[in-house]
Amino acid sequence: MEADAKEPAGAGITRGQNAVHVVPMDWPTLARVLAPALERLDTSRGEPQLLVVTADAESAVAAATALVAAASGHGLRVLAATPGPRAARLLRASSAQIVAGAPADLVALLQSSALKPDALRVVALAWLDVMVGSPDAQPLETLLGELPKEGARIVLATELSPAYEALIERYARRARREVEPASEGAAPLSVEYVTAPATGRTDALRRLLDALDLPSAGLYARDDRVRDQAARVARALGYPDDAVRTARSADEAVGADPIVLLDLPASREEMRALAGSGRKIYAIVQPSQLGSLRTLLSNGTLSPITLVDAAERARGKDAALRASLRDVLSSSDVRREVLAIEPLLAEFDGVEIAAAALRLLEQQKPARPATAATAAPPMTALFVNLGERDGVRPQELVAAVTSSAGLPTSQIGRIEVRDTHAIVEVAASVAELVAGKLTGSVVRGRRVQARVDTPREARGGRSDRPPRPGAPRGGPRGVRGDRRDRGDRGDRGDPGDRSDRGDRGDRFDRGERPVRPYGRDAGAKKPFDRGASERRPPRAAGPRSRRDDG
């Protein structure tokens, strides 16, 4: 069915109604684009019927916030799907006709059956160019593959390009284009801007009014909530109501100069109406909206504003740099560095050489945090009087260290829980402090005692004691020393070659103990035979004594 064909009564939005809207990236614009789709949703059904796919969870919350006012007028409920179990629980427990979320979060809801795709009638992609460049580009393919093909596809994009056209043809086949025609002969506009997150627009407005010291201004915002917040900021700064006033359209901003944009205009025509004849325009935008703002200006000029506090921070940074250099010059010997740069003094001024050295330092700074992150700080072991017998676990010791001493986990090393105690490694620079803070705390109902685990050498262990009287010369009693210097057994000078003891294995193979010859069968050579020349002569015959008779 073509886009302009008449729809039967009671029918939903079909595939033939796919549309592409080339509009600035602004969440009130999303509510305006989806307003016709909201009128077609069935309020009597509680299942999700409109799915808004955004680049990330933060954008999903912004989209849901922009749709709440328009949806409540039709009796519809909105739900922002963010990581966590909340969205799945609410979808199972209550009804929500509109769901907004990132592709990965929506895929998770589909796989858990919390999101039922059967009743979906409209799928909106906001915004396509931002979504394609996000990490959720691959889950987008999975999400659209699991959604029903009968629903309408509405794509929002800030511009059209050949690459986007291919994606649009894949996601919203034969979609009609809603593109604002380019203005012929329109003069490019000039805007100064400040970037801020969506939740920090009012704080950026306060800093902008302080930096520019504007006597009067018009605050443009299409969102009623943003206008109320901006009005409260102006009253808090002491502006009278007639000096700073809010406006939702170019007609309400008549007479106000300059104009501060808290929301982007919906079209180039409205932007030109706000600019009027030479009216100064300032904009507070999100970083992702800079491309949309440039499109609204008809390739005009965008200039960033340096706020007062940013300039003050820069001056403070320069003062700290000068203080560091002054400290090095007064407390260190830099003669070697002077000799290194002395040949350059014939070509450049000393100030220029110092500036070049600072430039080299600034160029090397981005690589330093990564190096510092990978280099672990030196660790020192702590002895803790709790062990396996007390039922303590390493996680409980980590929690005790972080809570009692306020130590981050990055400064905690290996934890070894033994039978009666535990060894906890912490950064050496704070080991004594952590031991003092940890002592007295309670873990598993027991009071902790912690101290720095001093090595045995530092405590004066056995290796440092003098040898006892009568101890072997090789070392004190009970200490064998280093066996690595003893050499092989074959070099010990024994009577025979003991290195090959394979001949002794016979007695183990027989399973019995060898019997040594004894008595007359022992042969001529006995263990203590001194030879015939050294034998005692036989005792002379004589009367036998009583002892002999016994």
Side-chain angles (χ1 to χ4, degrees):
M1 184 172 61
E2 295 297 328
D4 54 353
K6 184 177 293 186
E7 182 180 273
I13 301 177
T14 63
R15 182 189 298 184
Q17 293 173 313
N18 295 342
V20 177
H21 297 263
V22 182
V23 290
M25 183 181 176
D26 195 59
W27 298 115
T29 301
L30 175 67
R32 177 180 62 85
V33 170
L34 295 182
L38 297 180
E39 297 177 357
R40 298 173 180 264
L41 301 185
D42 188 359
T43 57
S44 63
R45 302 183 62 179
E47 300 91 350
Q49 303 173 46
L50 171 59
L51 193 64
V52 181
V53 186
T54 62
D56 48 36
E58 184 176 331
S59 301
V61 175
T65 304
L67 291 172
V68 163
S72 60
H74 297 282
L76 303 171
R77 291 184 62 250
V78 183
L79 185 145
T82 55
R86 174 196 55 84
R89 177 180 57 82
L90 290 177
L91 282 174
R92 292 189 180 100
S94 58
S95 59
Q97 292 85 6
I98 304 172
V99 178
D105 299 328
L106 295 177
V107 168
L109 292 176
L110 286 173
Q111 293 175 348
S112 64
S113 300
L115 178 62
K116 305 293 186 180
D118 300 336
L120 285 176
R121 307 171 72 179
V122 183
V123 177
L125 307 180
W127 264 249
L128 179 63
D129 40 4
V130 179
M131 196 179 308
V132 169
S134 71
D136 282 338
Q138 183 60 38
L140 178 63
E141 298 277 353
T142 305
L143 174 65
L144 295 178
E146 296 186 7
L147 295 180
K149 307 299 182 183
E150 293 76 16
R153 301 289 193 269
I154 299 178
V155 180
L156 289 83
T158 58
E159 61 179 355
L160 290 180
S161 65
Y164 294 159
E165 288 286 0
L167 294 174
I168 292 171
E169 186 63 23
R170 184 191 313 168
Y171 299 147
R173 184 175 176 80
R174 300 175 60 185
R176 69 177 188 272
R177 268 61 171 172
E178 298 287 344
V179 184
E180 182 184 9
S183 301
E184 298 294 338
L189 303 177
S190 177
V191 173
E192 298 182 31
Y193 70 92
V194 175
T195 57
T199 56
R201 281 180 291 188
T202 54
D203 182 65
L205 174 63
R206 191 268 307 165
R207 294 187 288 121
L208 180 66
L209 294 176
D210 283 343
L212 302 180
D213 190 19
L214 301 176
S216 63
L219 308 179
Y220 171 84
R222 288 182 287 158
D223 192 334
D224 297 337
R225 180 178 52 87
V226 176
R227 284 199 308 274
D228 294 341
Q229 293 175 353
R232 286 196 294 269
V233 169
R235 286 194 294 267
L237 294 179
Y239 283 96
D241 294 339
D242 57 348
V244 175
R245 53 193 178 91
T246 61
R248 73 176 70 191
S249 63
D251 295 336
E252 295 182 3
V254 173
D257 189 16
I259 295 292
V260 179
L261 303 179
L262 299 173
D263 284 332
L264 291 184
S267 61
R268 297 188 186 94
E269 182 180 357
E270 188 174 3
M271 173 64 83
R272 288 191 296 271
L274 287 171
S277 57
R279 185 184 297 172
K280 186 68 175 178
I281 297 181
Y282 302 99
I284 299 176
V285 296
Q286 303 174 47
S288 58
Q289 292 179 319
L290 288 176
S292 300
L293 179 58
R294 186 174 288 105
T295 302
L296 290 173
L297 300 181
S298 301
N299 298 323
T301 304
L302 277 179
S303 303
I305 302 175
T306 303
L307 300 181
V308 173
D309 52 355
E312 290 295 336
R313 284 196 298 269
R315 285 195 288 269
K317 180 181 178 181
D318 293 341
L321 176 62
R322 288 192 294 270
S324 300
L325 292 175
R326 188 179 296 109
D327 181 65
V328 171
L329 291 172
S330 60
S331 61
S332 303
D333 187 0
V334 295
R335 287 178 293 180
R336 186 186 67 82
E337 288 78 6
V338 170
L339 293 176
I341 65 173
E342 185 177 6
L344 294 175
L345 292 174
E347 305 176 44
F348 304 97
D349 186 72
V351 174
E352 294 176 326
I353 298 175
L358 290 179
R359 173 65 62 84
L360 291 176
L361 179 63
E362 292 293 334
Q363 291 176 353
Q364 295 177 1
K365 274 188 176 180
R368 289 187 175 183
T371 304
T374 56
M379 293 291 179
T380 295
L382 298 182
F383 177 90
V384 181
N385 65 330
L386 302 182
E388 292 181 353
R389 292 184 180 180
D390 306 297
V392 69
R393 296 178 300 172
Q395 297 86 344
E396 296 172 328
L397 294 177
V398 172
V401 171
T402 55
S403 60
S404 61
L407 195 69
T409 55
S410 60
Q411 296 188 17
I412 302 177
R414 185 182 60 180
I415 296 179
E416 184 179 353
V417 179
R418 301 178 182 175
D419 189 20
T420 59
H421 65 280
I423 302 297
V424 181
E425 290 184 349
V426 297
S429 58
V430 294
E432 294 287 351
L433 175 63
V434 173
K437 295 286 187 180
L438 189 58
T439 299
S441 61
V442 178
V443 176
R444 289 277 180 173
R446 289 201 55 188
R447 191 170 298 277
V448 179
Q449 295 290 332
R451 60 174 172 80
V452 175
D453 189 26
T454 307
R456 175 175 293 182
E457 292 75 9
R459 297 198 305 264
R462 289 180 177 268
S463 59
D464 292 340
R465 297 178 185 176
R468 297 176 58 187
R473 297 176 60 88
R477 181 179 181 182
V479 179
R480 295 187 176 185
D482 191 357
R483 294 191 174 189
R484 293 174 295 179
D485 298 330
R486 299 178 64 180
D488 297 331
R489 291 183 178 268
D491 300 334
R492 296 174 62 186
D494 53 295
D497 185 10
R498 300 185 181 182
S499 59
D500 186 6
R501 300 192 177 189
D503 297 336
R504 302 180 60 183
D506 296 340
R507 64 175 182 175
F508 298 102
D509 297 337
R510 292 197 303 266
E512 59 183 11
R513 189 169 182 176
V515 179
R516 177 176 295 179
Y518 180 74
R520 296 181 179 273
D521 299 332
K525 189 174 182 180
K526 298 180 177 58
F528 298 99
D529 193 357
R530 301 179 183 176
S533 61
E534 296 182 4
R535 294 179 182 175
R536 292 182 181 180
R539 189 171 52 183
R544 292 182 300 176
S545 62
R546 183 178 300 177
R547 183 176 179 182
D548 296 333
D549 294 337

